[in-house]
Structures are given as C-alpha cells and as structure tokens.
Amino acid sequence: QLWSGVNKLAKFIQIMSKSTTSASGQALWGKMPKANAELFALTYGSLVTELIRDYDDHVKINEELERIGHSIGVRCVDVSTTGNQILNFTSLN
C-alpha cells in the first residue's frame, strides 16, 4: 500500500510539474479579461476613501480591507477552480 501511495504522489507531481502548471497558467491568463490599471487604482482609492470616512480607527480600516481582500481571493479561487479540468485529481487512481 505504501508503494501505491508513492506512485499516486509521483503521478501528482508529474501532472503538476512546473512546465504543466506554467503552460496551464499562461493559457488561463490569456483567456482572462484584463482590467485597466488606472480604473483599478481609482476604484481601490474610492473604496479606501469610503472606509476612512466610515471608520475612525486605522486598525478597523485595515481589518475591513483584509476581510474584503480575503473574500475577493476566495471568490477568485472558486471561479478559477469551478469547471476547470486542470485541477481535477480524480484521474490519479
């Protein structure tokens, strides 16, 4: 059983090799719509300005920014892995 686990791990490492993940990442990056950097900066600046107006304490502002960033990150991971056959590990039997 140990060798079975080792073989599965070896297959996983082979699948997730740098060249494979790099090529997959490049393909996904090419398909993803891009946002204008100035638009992003203005939007983020507006968000931070609103938080400064809403909260007087910089600790609370940072906590809210971290919470928002975490939520955005979770959403990005959900969107990128849902329906994405690259991360389908059921074939490692």
Side-chain angles (χ1 to χ4, degrees):
Q1 286 204 8
L2 176 63
W3 287 112
S4 174
V6 170
N7 288 336
K8 286 182 181 179
L9 180 60
K11 286 181 183 178
F12 173 76
I13 291 171
Q14 183 181 13
I15 290 170
M16 297 306 295
S17 70
K18 184 176 180 181
S19 62
T20 304
T21 54
S22 177
S24 299
Q26 291 296 330
L28 288 173
W29 179 255
K31 292 179 184 177
M32 187 181 305
K34 310 298 186 291
N36 187 332
E38 286 129 7
L39 176 63
F40 177 76
L42 288 171
T43 305
Y44 185 75
S46 298
L47 173 68
V48 172
T49 301
E50 283 299 314
L51 289 175
I52 290 170
R53 289 181 186 154
D54 292 344
Y55 299 104
D56 292 331
D57 185 17
H58 67 82
V59 174
K60 289 184 180 183
I61 294 169
N62 287 334
E63 288 172 355
E64 188 66 16
L65 285 172
E66 178 146 358
R67 186 190 66 76
I68 292 169
H70 181 266
S71 297
I72 291 171
V74 167
R75 176 73 176 144
C76 288
V77 168
D78 287 345
V79 167
S80 67
T81 58
T82 302
N84 189 351
Q85 296 302 318
I86 295 170
L87 297 177
N88 186 0
F89 299 123
T90 58
S91 64
L92 294 176
N93 295 329

